Amino acid sequence: MEYAIVDIETTGGHASANGITEIAIILHDGVQVTGKFETLVNPHQLIPRYVESLTGITNAMVAMAPSFSEIADKVYNLLNNKVFVAHNVNFDYSFIKYHLDRHGIVWQAPKLCTVRLSRKVFPGHPSYSLGKICRTLDISVDNRHRAMGDALATTKLWEKLLVEGGEPVIREFLKRGSGEQSVPLYLDTNEVYSLPRIPGVYYFLDNKGDVVYVGKALDLRQRVLSHFSNNKSGRQKQEFLRNVHKVKYVPVPNELMAFLLEEAEIKRLWPRYNRSQKRPAQKYGLFSYEDGRGYLRLAVEKMSRGSKPLYSFGLITEGRNLLHQLVRTHLLCPRLTHIASSATICSGNADCACRLSTDTYNARVLDAIAALRKALPSYALLEPVPGGYPFVKKWSPPIVRRKSEGLFDEEAPAWFSLKPARKIPEQVMVSSCILIEDGAFYGMGYVPSSITVQPETLKQYLVPYPDNDYLRGLVNRHAALYPEKVVEVKI
């Protein structure tokens, strides 16, 4: 088997918007070096000053160097049918593959990362950066941060790996289906492959312990691995891969609870790489109040912290549509519901609602509110938990917080956990429970399967969550699809 040990210098951190400024390739047959190639490359873009300072490669140095298009065939011929080896292999591989693709050359190769190999063969070191691991292993490094200098250091590290019993590890890494080369550099592969194949919500954390992404899964292991199945060259994907250092998870017994927990956690943590679900929570509510003349009035207003609306909406048009419906059904005055701005739009005769006495009119408003509440469903979705009580007892929820709240604290209680608020006795059959109360999503968790389905009884076990129209819609659609799981709750 032949290997190509590669190092490149670039103008930036992702291939789709940056160029290669220098490339070095050292060919190796597993015993000795069999060939070398190096050249500066004109990236046809300015090299940032901080990159110049790091590498020593200046714009003047690359001005007369060949473009990548001039060396593309040479690079392909050197790499073709070789195992691609590099320190942090996905970085170098993504750049070379992207620039070969741009010049119409289709290429792919098996990869080996000397960072990951070093962690397996030389465990226990505080850092596996090229400079630090070479110093630790007494490997001399000359001309650091230049392509040939780093490629030669990687080659010496590679040869030391072979001498120190790395061949079985290399064979394992090269097996089809091995995730060692696709999993982000700083994420422990064992951590990923030890994930259970059950529904749940997972959290990617950066090097500071902050959550950068929250996702849901029917199969936690498969879904987490799917994030790393391609090595796209864009800034967003490359930055994401560099910032994933750990993965935590919360198992749940079914898909709906995974949807709900994911949505609630994205709203709470606001992770950097979650974009599509960063919707604002509902902004408007239906409120009632008494005016100076003693009339009860209905109005749709913006929500404020601590406000308690009769109902809430994501869009103001939803609230206005409901008001129109209440006016028609319960013969309310458009002016007293803020649909109309003046009395001239009312009917203008003695039969108009605004001409009624306060007691008579207020009775209509109270009837409308009572009808609205009666129309809002109150029910629980109950479903037996596979495995019963042990599932609830044995799982270890991660304590995931925003940076402002501190990092992980394995002893602190998590407000978002699905652990029952009230302890469930052992040997009792357990069901997952999602509660809708007066049309609003109250919360979820686990309850004894024999529980009396009353709001206050259920709430002793459930964890409350902030309500919003998206969560409500998820639960209501699920209830319509699976009516056998729905148990009406008497308020």
Side-chain angles (χ1 to χ4, degrees):
M1 189 176 292
E2 291 188 285
Y3 305 90
I5 302 168
V6 181
D7 190 84
I8 60 172
E9 303 302 331
T10 69
T11 61
H14 59 282
S16 63
N18 290 284
I20 296 171
T21 58
E22 190 173 39
I23 183 170
I25 301 172
I26 297 177
L27 303 181
H28 203 284
D29 63 4
V31 178
Q32 60 186 355
V33 172
T34 58
K36 294 179 182 179
F37 169 76
E38 68 173 316
T39 182
L40 289 167
V41 182
N42 188 340
H44 295 288
Q45 59 182 258
L46 288 175
I47 302 172
R49 285 192 177 181
Y50 74 91
V51 175
E52 283 190 349
S53 300
L54 179 69
T55 65
I57 300 172
T58 66
N59 290 294
M61 289 170 62
V62 299
M64 301 304 292
S67 303
F68 190 86
S69 59
E70 297 174 66
I71 62 166
D73 288 334
K74 174 76 171 178
V75 169
Y76 171 77
N77 290 330
L78 288 168
L79 299 180
N80 193 33
N81 297 320
K82 310 287 194 312
V83 177
F84 189 97
V85 181
H87 208 70
N88 187 6
V89 70
N90 286 326
F91 176 83
D92 301 78
Y93 186 91
S94 68
F95 264 86
I96 292 176
K97 180 168 176 57
Y98 175 81
H99 285 281
L100 286 174
D101 286 346
R102 281 190 64 197
H103 293 91
I105 299 174
V106 178
W107 166 79
Q108 61 180 15
K111 298 177 288 183
L112 287 170
C113 179
T114 51
V115 176
R116 289 196 172 277
L117 287 169
S118 298
R119 285 179 183 155
K120 292 282 188 180
V121 180
F122 309 119
H125 295 294
S127 174
Y128 289 87
S129 68
L130 184 59
K132 290 182 179 179
I133 193 62
C134 284
R135 280 197 298 274
T136 301
L137 299 176
D138 294 324
I139 296 171
S140 61
V141 181
D142 298 316
N143 216 9
R144 184 80 171 93
H145 297 301
R146 290 295 300 269
M148 183 52 78
D150 285 353
L152 286 170
T154 304
T155 301
K156 292 174 186 177
L157 176 59
W158 168 254
E159 291 176 338
K160 197 170 188 69
L161 287 164
L162 294 173
V163 170
E164 297 294 331
E167 288 191 20
V169 180
I170 291 169
R171 286 196 297 271
E172 188 65 30
F173 277 26
L174 288 174
K175 281 183 180 177
R176 182 179 292 274
S178 169
E180 288 289 347
Q181 314 313 321
S182 58
V183 172
L185 180 64
Y186 302 109
L187 184 59
D188 186 345
T189 311
N190 293 331
E191 194 172 306
V192 175
Y193 279 93
S194 64
L195 291 170
R197 307 198 70 164
I198 60 173
V201 170
Y202 57 93
Y203 306 77
F204 289 137
L205 283 71
D206 65 13
N207 61 332
K208 297 178 181 177
D210 291 333
V211 177
V212 296
Y213 186 86
V214 176
K216 65 181 179 302
L218 276 175
D219 181 325
L220 281 164
R221 187 193 308 170
Q222 184 180 37
R223 180 68 185 100
V224 167
L225 283 169
S226 73
H227 283 278
F228 318 130
S229 60
N230 65 68
N231 191 28
K232 290 182 180 177
S233 57
R235 180 191 61 79
Q236 181 179 324
K237 183 60 179 279
Q238 292 300 312
E239 184 183 293
F240 169 74
L241 293 174
R242 283 196 296 272
N243 281 304
V244 174
H245 286 243
K246 288 191 73 64
V247 59
K248 297 275 187 176
Y249 71 94
V250 176
V252 295
N254 55 60
E255 184 178 19
L256 178 59
M257 291 179 84
F259 267 102
L260 297 174
L261 183 58
E262 177 201 41
E263 172 72 12
E265 285 297 79
I266 290 171
K267 290 290 192 295
R268 182 176 76 91
L269 296 164
W270 214 249
R272 189 187 320 170
Y273 297 115
N274 286 98
R275 289 176 170 83
S276 62
Q277 285 166 278
K278 285 183 176 177
R279 317 174 185 83
Q282 66 269 22
K283 294 181 177 179
Y284 300 93
L286 176 64
F287 296 90
S288 68
Y289 68 95
E290 186 177 304
D291 69 13
R293 295 184 300 153
Y295 283 97
L296 278 178
R297 304 185 69 164
L298 296 176
V300 173
E301 302 286 353
K302 272 195 171 183
M303 301 267 281
S304 60
R305 186 180 293 275
S307 61
K308 294 184 178 180
L310 301 170
Y311 199 64
S312 56
F313 316 93
L315 300 171
I316 194 169
T317 51
E318 295 174 15
R320 287 176 176 165
N321 289 340
L322 177 61
L323 268 182
H324 279 286
Q325 182 181 332
L326 293 175
V327 167
R328 288 194 303 269
T329 305
H330 297 277
L331 302 177
L332 304 181
C333 174
R335 183 171 55 86
L336 295 181
T337 54
H338 296 271
I339 292 175
S341 59
S342 69
T344 57
I345 304 179
C346 302
S347 59
N349 56 43
D351 293 328
C352 181
C354 64
R355 307 299 178 90
L356 298 173
S357 68
T358 55
D359 288 344
T360 304
Y361 183 79
N362 290 350
R364 290 189 184 183
V365 176
L366 291 173
D367 285 344
I369 293 171
L372 174 63
R373 284 179 171 156
K374 187 175 181 181
L376 298 175
S378 292
Y379 64 88
L381 279 174
L382 295 171
E383 188 174 348
V385 173
Y389 178 78
F391 178 90
V392 179
K393 182 182 179 182
K394 291 181 180 179
W395 70 280
S396 299
I399 310 304
V400 184
R401 301 174 183 274
R402 286 179 293 235
K403 189 173 182 180
S404 60
E405 297 171 332
L407 302 182
F408 279 88
D409 178 357
E410 298 297 345
E411 300 300 321
W415 73 268
F416 64 89
S417 77
L418 297 180
K419 195 171 185 178
R422 180 176 177 178
K423 187 177 180 181
I424 298 175
E426 294 192 37
Q427 311 306 322
V428 170
M429 295 294 290
V430 177
S431 293
S432 63
C433 178
I434 298 166
L435 178 61
I436 295 289
E437 184 179 37
D438 286 335
F441 173 61
Y442 172 82
M444 59 183 173
Y446 302 109
V447 300
S449 296
S450 58
I451 195 170
T452 302
V453 184
Q454 296 291 342
E456 296 312 311
T457 308
L458 293 174
K459 288 176 184 178
Q460 294 179 55
Y461 294 90
L462 302 183
V463 179
Y465 287 82
D467 172 55
N468 67 54
D469 51 349
Y470 178 73
L471 293 177
R472 247 182 278 135
L474 285 175
V475 179
N476 289 333
R477 284 192 293 273
H478 193 86
L481 286 171
Y482 303 99
E484 69 277 7
K485 299 178 185 178
V486 177
V487 180
E488 186 178 352
V489 173
K490 300 294 184 183
I491 302 297

